[in-house]
Amino acid sequence: MDKEIRFSVEEVAYKFGTEAVIKSFERKKANSKKGNGNLDGKETKQVTTEMLRYFENVKVEGKGAKRVFIGTGKREKVLDKKQLQNYSNCGKGQMVYRTTLEELILMFLKYGNRKYLTTTTRKLAFEIGSITKEMYELSRLKGQEEKRDYHKKLVEIEDFTGVNYSLLFDVANRETERILNNIETILEDLSVNNIIHYLPVTNGVIEGERGKPEEHEILDPLLVAEIITKQRQLREKHNVEIEDLRFRLKDERVKAYNKEEREYLKTLGYTRIYNTNMIVLKAWDKEIENYFKKRKELKEVFMLEHREFAIEKANTRNYDFFHKPAKVKKPLKWFGGKPKSKFNDTEYDKIFGTHPLELDYITHLKLANAYAEEFGKLLSLLQEYQSIKEN
């Protein structure tokens, strides 16, 4: 049996934490009545990931500031961070469908009918079949009005009758974002292993003449730098932030910015620009076979693996609703002006005593321990509906 090496929260923070993690730990320790520092969920993930460079396996026991971080199977050689991305135990349970996604990407690069050498991560996810048209469109929507209009049209389709608005965007946004992050990690790893050429670039869109399709061309990096500088100046001029441009589409300042940005891009010959990726298959068959050890049915397998993993995560969120301390940055209206909640309060504690009609749909599902089941059903519907339409 491998020898266990145990670390307290303080030991793991100083030994495996970044400077930011250490400062956060010290701040919490100084503010704690018991003098105990702690790590939040994101910080815990950071230190456990770093520990995997030194140990074959890492687990955490206990709760809060009394947790113990246990490393087993000490490595003879510390893994490089790039090696860690490809290490089978890294992020255990975080990407159970990694091989399936890799194969889907490589098959698309080899056999797919590609119009351009560049594609956005979201578009690539759709083209390889890891997200459907509905998930692609839903996750692109920005303003609340756009979302409500799309939801209204979607529920007019028989398959989606009665689908709740909040749950729809919870499923679509959460799972699409997860897959996009997974794909970005895989692209970086395939590039490191010389399987693909992968380079983030910026495209400019040229309006087609006399009804012809628009053209997309890769912009020179120096021109991109010039455009970015101009955009920064325009945001400062109109007093808008990047988040405003995404979510406050009706704001007069945003409208003024968008108008001036369009006029500026037009002087350069473009209707718009967007960030994308140049992805080219680099390896030949034998090299790919050496990289992969197995092959399997892809799209259907991916959908099933993804769904099972998503439901497992939803179950965890439902459990955390009752058991895990939750932070609230701003008091919600239906708190009725209650004093600031204690750090140990769970989501359930925070809404206890609130009138049921004031709770949102997702909260009702969590109260009934039905959130994961309904989350899985809707994800399945979003996956299978498009699959049916394609056949």
Side-chain angles (χ1 to χ4, degrees):
M1 183 176 179
D2 290 331
K3 180 181 178 182
E4 291 185 348
I5 300 180
R6 305 168 76 88
F7 302 91
S8 66
V9 174
E10 182 165 355
E11 288 171 335
V12 83
Y14 282 106
K15 189 170 181 63
F16 301 103
T18 61
E19 185 176 342
V21 169
I22 294 171
K23 286 183 178 179
S24 174
F25 171 82
E26 290 176 340
R27 184 173 60 253
K28 291 169 187 171
K29 184 176 181 179
N31 294 332
S32 171
K33 292 181 180 180
K34 296 182 178 179
N36 295 326
N38 204 351
L39 302 173
D40 63 23
K42 184 178 179 180
E43 292 162 348
T44 298
K45 183 177 179 181
Q46 286 178 337
V47 296
T48 52
T49 299
E50 179 65 15
M51 284 181 70
L52 282 168
R53 295 178 60 206
Y54 299 84
F55 299 96
E56 296 282 349
N57 297 287
V58 174
K59 64 180 180 178
V60 184
E61 292 183 352
K63 295 182 179 180
K66 295 183 179 180
R67 286 176 296 168
V68 177
F69 293 72
I70 305 170
T72 56
K74 190 172 183 180
R75 301 183 189 278
E76 294 182 3
K77 183 180 179 181
V78 178
L79 287 183
D80 180 81
K81 289 186 177 181
K82 286 294 183 182
Q83 288 177 292
L84 189 60
Q85 289 180 355
N86 196 37
Y87 187 69
S88 60
N89 285 336
C90 177
K92 186 177 181 182
Q94 296 301 307
M95 207 195 306
V96 295
Y97 37 76
R98 179 190 176 99
T99 300
T100 311
L101 266 180
E102 284 178 320
E103 293 188 16
L104 282 167
I105 290 169
L106 292 176
M107 288 186 70
F108 170 74
L109 293 177
K110 184 172 182 179
Y111 302 111
N113 182 19
R114 303 181 65 192
K115 187 176 181 181
Y116 303 105
L117 289 178
T118 61
T119 183
T120 64
T121 309
R122 192 185 312 274
K123 185 69 172 178
L124 177 62
F126 169 62
E127 289 176 322
I128 66 175
S130 62
I131 62 173
T132 59
K133 180 181 178 182
E134 284 68 35
M135 294 179 74
Y136 176 81
E137 295 295 345
L138 285 164
S139 63
R140 292 175 66 202
L141 299 176
K142 298 176 182 177
Q144 291 299 323
E145 189 173 341
E146 277 187 320
K147 292 181 178 180
R148 290 192 185 96
D149 288 345
Y150 195 97
H151 175 256
K152 184 177 179 180
K153 291 178 182 179
L154 193 64
V155 294
E156 290 175 356
I157 300 172
E158 183 178 352
D159 296 36
F160 291 91
T161 301
V163 168
N164 177 265
Y165 173 91
S166 298
L167 187 62
L168 175 67
F169 285 99
D170 184 45
V171 172
N173 291 334
R174 191 184 294 275
E175 294 310 319
T176 300
E177 188 66 24
R178 190 194 310 282
I179 291 172
L180 298 188
N181 289 338
N182 291 163
I183 288 176
E184 286 177 2
T185 298
I186 288 171
L187 290 175
E188 289 172 2
D189 191 54
L190 290 175
S191 177
V192 168
N193 285 277
N194 290 315
I195 303 299
I196 64 171
H197 173 72
Y198 170 56
L199 180 68
V201 295
T202 301
N203 272 0
V205 179
I206 304 171
E207 187 174 4
E209 296 182 1
R210 298 178 182 179
K212 292 184 179 180
E214 61 185 20
E215 297 180 17
H216 299 241
E217 68 175 23
I218 299 174
L219 301 184
D220 183 277
L222 293 177
L223 177 58
V224 174
E226 178 185 316
I227 293 173
I228 290 173
T229 300
K230 181 67 174 179
Q231 289 173 325
R232 175 176 57 80
Q233 293 170 347
L234 289 176
R235 291 199 306 275
E236 184 175 6
K237 175 182 176 180
H238 295 286
N239 191 27
V240 296
E241 300 177 20
I242 291 175
E243 290 298 301
D244 297 328
L245 300 177
R246 293 188 60 198
F247 301 112
R248 298 183 178 178
L249 305 182
K250 291 187 175 183
D251 190 297
E252 292 302 321
R253 296 170 304 159
V254 172
K255 290 180 179 179
Y257 168 88
N258 286 334
K259 180 181 178 181
E260 196 162 349
E261 184 196 50
R262 283 195 299 269
E263 291 173 351
Y264 166 69
L265 291 176
K266 192 174 180 179
T267 65
L268 300 176
Y270 305 107
T271 58
R272 61 187 175 89
I273 65 169
Y274 63 95
N275 294 326
T276 185
N277 306 297
M278 178 189 291
I279 308 174
V280 182
L281 185 61
K282 193 173 183 180
W284 66 290
D285 288 355
K286 183 65 176 177
E287 292 168 326
I288 294 174
E289 286 174 13
N290 289 337
Y291 182 76
F292 284 118
K293 300 300 181 184
K294 60 179 180 179
R295 293 214 173 257
K296 53 186 174 180
E297 293 296 323
L298 297 179
K299 183 173 179 179
E300 292 78 9
V301 172
F302 170 79
M303 290 295 187
L304 179 60
E305 290 174 334
H306 174 211
R307 193 182 311 156
E308 290 176 346
F309 181 65
I311 293 171
E312 179 185 335
K313 286 293 182 183
N315 261 316
T316 300
R317 290 194 294 276
N318 204 144
Y319 176 87
D320 289 346
F321 175 80
F322 291 101
H323 300 92
K324 185 178 179 180
K327 291 183 180 179
V328 176
K329 294 182 180 179
K330 296 180 181 179
L332 301 181
K333 291 180 180 179
W334 40 266
F335 278 8
K338 293 181 181 178
K340 187 176 180 181
S341 302
K342 294 180 180 179
F343 179 71
N344 288 330
D345 283 356
T346 64
E347 284 186 69
Y348 173 74
D349 293 328
K350 292 179 184 300
I351 59 94
F352 184 78
T354 304
H355 193 284
L357 294 178
E358 296 178 330
L359 301 178
D360 60 47
Y361 183 73
I362 291 177
T363 301
H364 276 291
L365 289 178
K366 288 180 178 178
L367 282 169
N369 277 312
Y371 169 67
E373 180 182 358
E374 294 302 315
F375 190 98
K377 286 180 182 177
L378 183 49
L379 178 58
S380 177
L381 175 59
L382 284 170
Q383 291 178 333
E384 294 174 359
Y385 174 78
Q386 183 64 19
S387 297
I388 292 170
K389 298 303 177 185
E390 288 175 350
N391 291 337

